Amino acid sequence: MSYFCDKYPVVEKKALAGGVFSVTVKCPEAANAAEVGQFANILADGYTLRRPISICEIDKEKGTLRFVFEVRGKGTEVISHVNEGDNLDVLGPLGNGFKAPEGKRVIVVGGGIGVPPLLGIAKSHGDKCTAILGFRSYDKIILADEFEKFGANVAVCTDDGSVGFKGLVTVPLENTLKNVGADLVCACGPEPMIKAVVKLCEQYKIPCRVSLEQRMGCGVGACVVCSCMTVKDGKEHYARVCKDGPVFDAKEVRFDG
């Protein structure tokens, strides 16, 4: 796996919602090596540990990577203050992506800030992609219009019913699996959501790949801070989310409870 570490120029910055920002950097080598579902470790000035942020969009022609992230602490707060023309210290691309074969019918299920790494699947699959996106409320919705721009069939769910379907993403997911079907489901978001998605996929015998969120240190598999329990060939072993993931075959992940 090839990854790069350098200070790259910010070519675009946008605020998408309260505390959620889109930052695009010019990094031709990293963009050329990147796959949908990978992430980068980004350095915030004044901090030693980098912040893992999913890659939202890859443009190999322009040589850019786009990151969409939510401010969740002091490090991401610092990163959110970068402006166009500034340099961002990026280590990436890191980890393993979704590897969703083109031409297949794919359902992507995202919750909150778990939505951005799924956008690339809509970009490559167009109308063969169904995107089921869950948010707390109208003011938290991000990227839904961009999924539509790429041709995906989009269903938005909100906890409070302010937009779209009121309730959990599992309801439209089950309806789609029952009435339309799919070759693959890809999911990213809070663990309770992922567990519910995996259960439905098992019920309908649909392959599922999940992107896990885990607290990380180095991002390259050296510090093992981000270990999670997985099962292969009937044997349990610890995998590193940063190096072996963040995307796993759902059958391999041992969720608690």
Side-chain angles (χ1 to χ4, degrees), residues 53-127:
I53 298 178
S54 297
I55 297 171
C56 173
E57 193 173 354
I58 304 160
D59 192 322
K60 294 183 186 293
E61 283 190 13
K62 294 182 179 178
T64 59
L65 291 178
R66 180 186 180 195
F67 303 96
V68 172
F69 63 96
E70 182 177 32
V71 174
R72 289 186 169 177
K74 293 180 179 178
T76 46
E77 171 73 26
V78 169
I79 295 170
S80 74
H81 290 304
V82 300
N83 293 304
E84 293 176 13
D86 292 345
N87 288 324
L88 200 59
D89 195 320
V90 177
L91 172 66
L94 301 172
N96 292 298
F98 281 107
K99 296 178 175 63
E102 292 188 24
K104 300 293 186 180
R105 291 175 299 164
V106 181
I107 301 173
V108 298
V109 185
I113 204 62
V115 168
L118 300 168
L119 184 62
I121 298 176
K123 188 175 182 179
S124 61
H125 285 70
D127 61 5

Side-chain angles (χ1 to χ4, degrees), residues 154-169:
V154 178
V156 172
C157 307
T158 49
D159 294 346
D160 62 1
S162 52
V163 174
F165 176 79
K166 180 180 180 181
L168 302 175
V169 294

Side-chain angles (χ1 to χ4, degrees), residues 58-242:
I58 304 160
D59 192 322
K60 294 183 186 293
E61 283 190 13
K62 294 182 179 178
T64 59
L65 291 178
R66 180 186 180 195
F67 303 96
V68 172
F69 63 96
E70 182 177 32
V71 174
R72 289 186 169 177
K74 293 180 179 178
T76 46
E77 171 73 26
V78 169
I79 295 170
S80 74
H81 290 304
V82 300
N83 293 304
E84 293 176 13
D86 292 345
N87 288 324
L88 200 59
D89 195 320
V90 177
L91 172 66
L94 301 172
N96 292 298
F98 281 107
K99 296 178 175 63
E102 292 188 24
K104 300 293 186 180
R105 291 175 299 164
V106 181
I107 301 173
V108 298
V109 185
I113 204 62
V115 168
L118 300 168
L119 184 62
I121 298 176
K123 188 175 182 179
S124 61
H125 285 70
D127 61 5
K128 289 187 177 293
C129 174
T130 295
I132 302 172
L133 313 176
F135 305 95
R136 291 195 296 274
S137 56
Y138 170 77
D139 60 314
K140 299 297 183 183
I141 294 174
I142 57 170
L143 302 176
D145 58 336
E146 299 195 38
F147 279 86
E148 291 178 342
K149 180 187 75 174
F150 290 129
N153 304 296
V154 178
V156 172
C157 307
T158 49
D159 294 346
D160 62 1
S162 52
V163 174
F165 176 79
K166 180 180 180 181
L168 302 175
V169 294
T170 46
V171 176
L173 173 60
E174 183 165 21
N175 289 338
T176 305
L177 291 175
K178 186 186 299 182
N179 299 316
V180 182
D183 297 305
L184 176 68
V185 173
C186 297
C188 184
E191 186 172 308
M193 184 206 84
I194 288 182
K195 289 168 69 174
V197 168
V198 170
K199 186 175 180 180
L200 275 176
C201 290
E202 290 174 347
Q203 179 182 334
Y204 286 89
K205 296 180 172 56
I206 303 295
C208 181
R209 293 175 186 160
V210 297
S211 180
L212 302 183
E213 294 182 350
Q214 199 86 342
R215 192 173 292 276
M216 295 182 185
C218 69
V220 294
C223 70
V224 300
V225 166
C226 61
S227 295
C228 70
M229 182 63 74
T230 59
V231 179
K232 271 192 176 181
D233 301 323
K235 297 180 180 179
E236 291 186 342
H237 70 97
Y238 282 101
R240 297 158 293 182
V241 172
C242 69

